Amino acid sequence: MPDSATAQGLRNEPLLVVEGLKTHFKLPLGMVKAVDGVDLTVDRGRTIGIVGESGSGKTVLARTIMRLNLGANVFTEGSVRYAGVDLLDVPNKKMREYWGAEMSMVFQDPMTSLNPVVRIGRQITEHLRHHLGLSKEEAKETALALLKEVRIPEAEARLSAYPHQLSGGMRQRVCIAIAIACGPRLLFADEPTTALDVTVQHQIMNVLAREQRERDMGMVLVTHDLGVVAGRTDDIAVMYAGKIVERASTKALFDDVKHPYTEALLRSIPRTSHLSHTRLAAIVGRPPDLINPPAGCSFSPRCAYAQDICFSEEPVLQEASPNHEFSCHFPVGSEPNREAFEKNVAKAMPQAVSIRRHEESLAQLGGEI
Amino acid sequence: MQKLIAARLLRAVATLFAVSVLTFFMVDLLPGDLGDILIPAEQQNDRAIVEQLREELGLNDPAFVRYGNWLKDAVTGDLGESAITRQPVSTLLSQRLPITLQLTLFAIGFALIFAVPLGIISAYRQGRFSDRAISGGLQLGLSIPNFVVGVFLIWFFAERLGWLPATGWTRLTESVSGNVKGVILPAVSLALVDMAVFSRLIRADMISTLQENYVLSAKAKGMSDRFILARHALRPSSLSLITVVGLNIGSLLGGTVVIEQLFAMGGIGRALIDAITKRDYVVIQGLTVFIATVYVFINMTVDFIYIAVDPRIRSGRT
Ligand SMILES: Nc1ncnc2c1ncn2[C@@H]1O[C@H](COP(=O)(O)OP(=O)(O)OP(=O)(O)O)[C@@H](O)[C@H]1O
Ligand code: SF4
Ligand SMILES: [Mg+2]
């Protein structure tokens, strides 16, 4: 659509290349560094998970890439190349040709992301007609097909329903239908299931995954729950305080965790096998202040392995293997890491002690079984 | 849905009843009554004559009997007649209402035509120059009394330019253009304040609507700002406007004494003032009940418009 660059596709370039992306918000108290130097690549037809706690900057990152940051107090830096075009240079008006048509987003809360006073039908057809120039009837037929595709029962009747007449899961299906309607090549899903019941979460994730596969879309799946992305992404980027602290193929990340923060996130995934027996190991402390981030490693105030160097020197991204990067002075699994841990336990550092206890309780449980 | 409408209708009837009781007894509480005006001053001291007349008029009956009689007539449209001119109140209404009604509709119409776009632009450009210019202009409009505006308009458009008549009202049946020309200046004088109020309402509601997630979703679909404002944001932003428009229609229909006076138009407002100064109790009662009834009907209409605008109300969720 926009420009021949997309049409030709620059075949061997990835769909999306983000480099040195920064998004800062100016507040009276100072600059909120919500996204602070992110590099990211999404290949055609692949799914990347962006994982991090609440407040780590995932939403801001996704919206900055899509150029959906509203507000006059935003400062953005870096580059976002979509099919060869730097979106940060695209004028606002022109972005409308990308939104919905080339890239679209499924938002977190299906309760509020549909207009309560507009019928479902119009909400699915309006951009079909706008982008693809379909007639009313064609658009309606397409909408019907889409609703069936995302497995909405009685699709025909739903077209004339209002959002409040649908359950949360059904609404999120509608949102997915809306997002994929014009055949985008890049789909963002920003915590698409957090607002939903656990039983519905899996169904929605399945719908998303199937659409992604069948339509061969690139997908960016944002979540705070590593468990959600586990089997559903090709790659995972772990975000902390506006930075990506570890990135790897999903398998490599689960098999060979390097960053202590990723390890902590993994530890907090409930495992059905001993869910009822042990408390989850919650990450000690709060996410950092984004206006005045800690010196050195931003995770240092909460890290169980932190040593003096962590409080003064910021670790840079380094490769563990060709498709696995992390930024840490004492990577998990290394000898220095074990030594650092023992030192911290000896010093009775709370986060280190809490992990020791957690390990002990797991070991005990293993003994009982 | 039908239950909802039935409930609203029932409420309207109940309110009307309460209103009629209140107005009847409140006017009844005013010092003096018909006897005082109907009997010539020189006969006021003649107890026999006074008593006879009071008896004939039913003024000595207990209040609730008088109310019953009055209500019986009122529901058939007979609001009694003026003690002074002998003109039935319903005739008075049929003469005065068209003037007031037309003035009201034109004033509200003018106000809305300008207020809605201005409010939308203000909200869309919140804090920018156009917003501040619009808000400043409207603030000015809000602070000038409507008769001052009227005087200025008469001076400029009637006296200087001679485009529009300064005073008077022409029946629609006599001359359409004459009728419309006559109503423009008084309607604009009335519209200015409403325009400012309406525009502020739209602006405030629109600003909060524009923060809604569904507005962002529409944007993420590639819809233009204009489309989003008109087709997504306007409807949910219009509920408080609808309420206030209803209230203002009611108060305008209740009469706009100063403007009617200034433009020499005999509307409901003038009729009511005349009746009050002459202590024409029957007319006061009749007009008051009429105005109250208008309010009740407008409120009901507002409720129905709410139902039409917001489907969530329709399914009884709110
Ligand atoms: N418009 C804004 N102005 C100032 N600060 C903002 C703005 N938008 C976001 N932030 C801040 O940026 C940080 C990152 O927010 P973001 O919403 O991206 O987090 P998140 O990782 O998506 O978290 P969650 O899981 O809660 O959605 C937060 O501290 C937030 O307060
Ligand atoms: S070990 Fe040091 S560098 Fe690594 S995460 Fe912990 S604090 Fe940061
Ligand atoms: Mg978020």
Side-chain angles (χ1 to χ4, degrees), chain A residues 259-261 297-300 303-307 310 315 327-331:
Chain A
H259 200 282
Y261 178 62
C297 173
S298 48
F299 190 52
S300 54
C303 182
Y305 315 115
Q307 301 299 310
C310 301
S327 58
C328 175
H329 295 304
F330 302 93

Side-chain angles (χ1 to χ4, degrees), chain B residues 7-217:
Chain B
R8 298 284 148 105
L9 281 171
L10 206 67
R11 195 166 76 187
V13 172
T15 319
L16 274 179
F17 177 72
V19 156
S20 73
V21 172
L22 278 177
T23 44
F24 184 89
F25 287 101
M26 255 153 36
V27 174
D28 205 57
L29 282 177
L30 291 178
D33 61 26
L34 266 184
D36 302 335
I37 23 173
L38 285 182
I39 301 164
E42 59 272 18
Q43 293 180 0
Q44 286 280 2
N45 291 325
D46 190 333
R47 301 241 35 106
I49 296 180
V50 171
E51 271 316 304
Q52 188 196 346
L53 193 85
R54 292 186 69 87
E55 201 59 48
E56 276 171 26
L57 286 169
L59 292 175
N60 289 339
D61 293 341
F64 70 88
V65 174
R66 280 181 289 128
Y67 171 72
N69 290 335
W70 176 83
L71 185 67
K72 219 165 54 201
D73 291 339
V75 290
T76 65
D78 176 5
L79 292 168
E81 60 184 33
S82 162
I84 294 157
T85 63
R86 291 277 154 198
Q87 187 188 36
V89 176
S90 51
T91 311
L92 179 70
L93 271 174
S94 70
Q95 286 170 357
R96 304 302 184 90
L97 186 60
I99 300 177
T100 302
L101 194 63
Q102 194 184 10
L103 204 52
T104 301
L105 294 183
F106 271 65
I108 295 286
F110 284 144
L112 280 176
I113 287 174
F114 292 102
V116 171
L118 287 177
I120 295 175
I121 295 171
S122 264
Y124 178 60
R125 313 283 300 173
Q126 187 196 354
R128 313 269 194 88
F129 175 76
S130 37
D131 175 31
R132 276 179 288 153
I134 290 170
S135 300
L138 291 176
Q139 182 66 45
L140 198 68
L142 204 55
S143 51
I144 305 176
N146 57 19
F147 67 89
V148 176
V149 178
V151 168
F152 172 79
L153 290 179
I154 290 177
W155 169 75
F156 193 72
F157 289 99
E159 287 177 14
R160 283 286 305 268
L161 298 173
W163 288 356
L164 297 163
T167 56
W169 185 73
T170 319
R171 283 179 173 284
L172 194 64
T173 44
E174 270 170 52
S175 152
V176 175
S177 74
N179 167 277
V180 171
K181 275 185 182 167
V183 85
I184 288 179
L185 293 186
V188 169
S189 321
L190 287 173
L192 215 57
V193 169
D194 282 356
M195 184 173 91
V197 173
F198 295 170
S199 169
R200 284 185 167 194
L201 282 173
I202 277 275
R203 177 182 180 273
D205 281 7
M206 190 66 126
I207 284 174
S208 72
T209 303
L210 291 179
Q211 312 285 326
E212 295 284 348
N213 284 339
Y214 58 80
V215 168
L216 186 67
S217 332

Side-chain angles (χ1 to χ4, degrees), chain A residues 53-55 57-60 63 108 190-191 222:
Chain A
E53 282 167 294
S54 183
K58 309 177 299 287
T59 297
V60 173
R63 293 200 183 167
Q108 175 168 348
D190 187 359
E191 312 223 21
V222 173

Side-chain angles (χ1 to χ4, degrees), chain A residues 23-27 30-35 50-63 69-74 108 190-191 194 222-224 239 241-242 287-291:
Chain A
T23 309
H24 296 179
F25 298 99
K26 188 172 178 155
L27 291 188
M31 282 290 200
V32 179
K33 304 175 193 69
V35 173
I50 296 187
V51 186
E53 282 167 294
S54 183
S56 52
K58 309 177 299 287
T59 297
V60 173
L61 173 62
R63 293 200 183 167
N69 260 322
L70 312 153
N73 62 336
V74 161
Q108 175 168 348
D190 187 359
E191 312 223 21
T194 5
V222 173
T223 174
H224 61 259
M239 212 169 161
D289 178 354
L290 295 175
I291 296 179

